[in-house]
Amino acid sequence: MNNLVKSFLSFVLVLLALIATAKVLAIGEIYDFSSPELLERYEELTKELRCPKCQNQNLSDSVSEISDDLRREIHLMLEQGQTDQQIKDFLVARYGTFVLYNPPAAGSTLWVWLIPVFFALAGSFLVWRVLLQAKQRPIIAEGDEEDLL
Amino acid sequence: MSVFFYFALQMRENRAVDELTSVLVDKPFPDFQLPGLHNDFHTQAELAQGQVTLVNVWGSWCPSCRDEHPYLTQLVEQGVPLVGMNYKDTPEAALDWLDYFGDIYAYHIQDRDGRLGLNLGVYGAPETFIVDKQGVIRYKRVGVVNERVWESEMKQVYLQYGGLINE
């Protein structure tokens, strides 16, 4: 095996090892929950909510202090019996809709939802047009191909 | 297409910053009853006693807080009331810091576990709020306060709500 392939393979191995350990490391404090259902909701919420400081990390992955605080608060609110919606509202009232990775389909964030729909429709329309034209174009006989080039 | 994405990204960046800073503006300063740093005790009501106040979120662990300290000192010298919110700090470290750099604050609110910070949407230090005479938040600055920021944004808000400056 030549050296280049070897070094590439060892690089891939190291990378895989790093990814594997990253998954094992739990971040921040580990909370006890009174029921497995609460733990499940906690994990879902912290994955769904964004760390206000780090812009592109969710609360469950972030090591920043503020994420620690927010996780602590979410744990507390879950144990107090608050609903997911109440918890999200609490955070939005303080940090804005920014903390929601899924922005609400209203107000300033409405276009985020509408534009992809528009592009999907426009794209489908284009594909349909191209296909239609291809269908209407006369089929070229094999011998004629050279003339076209 | 790429032009569209460029503008969409630009808009998104601005929106993110705006949203983080604006949610609490025009809302009353959250309720609190917290110790100060000098065997004292403070509540939200003190921020609604008829003067426009700057509330500065700081910590001895925060390098940028040192950077803004000289300019905050200038503002205090001009008669701007300044209250410190000592955020996620220990009283010992905070008092050492104040001994070294100078305690220019009227008083401090000790937010050791960051709960008041959370109610204020704080996500770091320094941050500075302008609170009006009735205790309503009118402005929030994330990051260092310096001459440029004061002159271009904060001073206007401060004066608009009746804040006083000794010229």
Side-chain angles (χ1 to χ4, degrees):
Chain A
M1 207 176 348
N2 81 40
N3 276 338
L4 205 67
V5 175
K6 256 188 194 163
S7 64
F8 175 72
L9 281 178
S10 49
F11 171 74
V12 170
L13 270 178
V14 170
L15 209 66
L16 283 175
L18 278 176
I19 293 168
T21 46
K23 281 287 168 206
V24 173
L25 286 170
I27 283 167
E29 189 133 349
I30 294 160
Y31 292 105
D32 288 328
F33 286 89
S34 53
S35 82
E37 185 251 345
L38 286 183
L39 174 64
E40 206 173 287
R41 279 172 59 207
Y42 172 82
E43 283 176 346
E44 236 162 69
L45 278 167
T46 53
K47 276 190 195 118
E48 202 180 322
L49 293 163
R50 175 158 39 167
C51 159
K53 193 170 186 171
C54 7
Q55 312 273 328
N56 269 319
Q57 262 187 322
N58 58 23
L59 285 182
S60 105
D61 289 343
S62 167
V63 291
S64 85
E65 289 235 353
I66 186 66
S67 295
D68 279 345
D69 288 7
L70 294 182
R71 285 194 295 262
R72 180 192 63 198
E73 221 57 31
I74 291 172
H75 168 244
L76 199 76
M77 292 174 82
L78 282 168
E79 287 293 345
Q80 286 168 350
Q82 308 216 30
T83 66
D84 289 1
Q85 196 53 50
Q86 280 172 320
I87 293 171
K88 285 183 196 169
D89 290 347
F90 172 88
L91 290 171
V92 168
R94 284 156 184 78
Y95 292 94
T97 50
F98 180 85
V99 294
L100 305 176
Y101 263 119
N102 288 333
S108 63
T109 49
L110 184 63
W111 68 272
V112 178
W113 294 93
L114 288 183
I115 285 177
V117 175
F118 168 76
F119 275 118
L121 287 176
S124 329
F125 177 71
L126 274 177
V127 169
W128 176 73
R129 278 281 301 274
V130 168
L131 286 178
L132 204 69
Q133 274 175 10
K135 216 175 175 182
Q136 285 165 352
R137 198 179 298 148
I139 294 160
I140 300 156
E142 263 177 46
D144 294 340
E145 262 178 16
E146 277 159 40
D147 300 339
L148 286 171
L149 294 173
Chain B
M1 195 69 168
S2 54
V3 171
F4 165 75
F5 278 116
Y6 175 77
F7 282 111
L9 274 173
Q10 290 270 309
M11 269 176 76
R12 169 120 202 93
E13 295 276 295
N14 293 339
R15 196 178 68 84
V17 173
D18 285 352
E19 256 182 28
L20 271 168
T21 52
S22 69
V23 202
L24 278 143
V25 170
D26 298 332
K27 305 246 162 64
F29 200 92
D31 236 348
F32 67 88
Q33 287 109 33
L34 286 169
L37 285 171
H38 306 287
N39 298 316
D40 47 353
F41 194 82
H42 301 281
T43 66
Q44 190 265 354
E46 287 169 73
L47 289 170
Q49 285 177 349
Q51 57 178 4
V52 185
T53 310
L54 300 193
V55 178
N56 175 239
V57 180
W58 72 280
S60 64
W61 47 267
C62 147
S64 314
C65 297
R66 286 169 217 172
D67 298 341
E68 69 174 355
H69 191 266
Y71 193 70
L72 290 178
T73 307
Q74 279 187 40
L75 292 178
V76 170
E77 282 165 0
Q78 289 170 41
V80 176
L82 179 69
V83 169
M85 187 181 130
N86 185 231
Y87 178 62
K88 306 197 84 167
D89 209 347
T90 62
E92 298 77 30
L95 289 169
D96 278 351
W97 193 95
L98 291 170
D99 271 346
Y100 189 82
F101 291 100
D103 190 353
I104 53 170
Y105 298 87
Y107 58 88
H108 296 270
I109 306 159
Q110 214 191 111
D111 185 28
R112 206 165 169 171
D113 62 5
R115 278 231 156 79
L116 175 59
L118 208 146
N119 285 333
L120 275 166
V122 167
Y123 56 98
E127 287 187 14
T128 302
F129 295 84
I130 298 179
V131 181
D132 77 6
K133 293 177 177 178
Q134 286 79 40
V136 176
I137 296 167
R138 293 302 182 181
Y139 177 92
K140 177 182 177 182
R141 162 76 188 160
V142 176
V144 170
V145 173
N146 53 29
E147 188 173 359
R148 183 184 58 79
V149 176
W150 176 259
E151 291 294 334
S152 67
E153 295 177 28
M154 295 178 73
K155 190 179 181 180
Q156 189 195 339
V157 179
Y158 177 75
L159 294 175
Q160 184 191 335
Y161 288 96
L164 301 173
I165 293 175
N166 316 324
E167 292 299 342

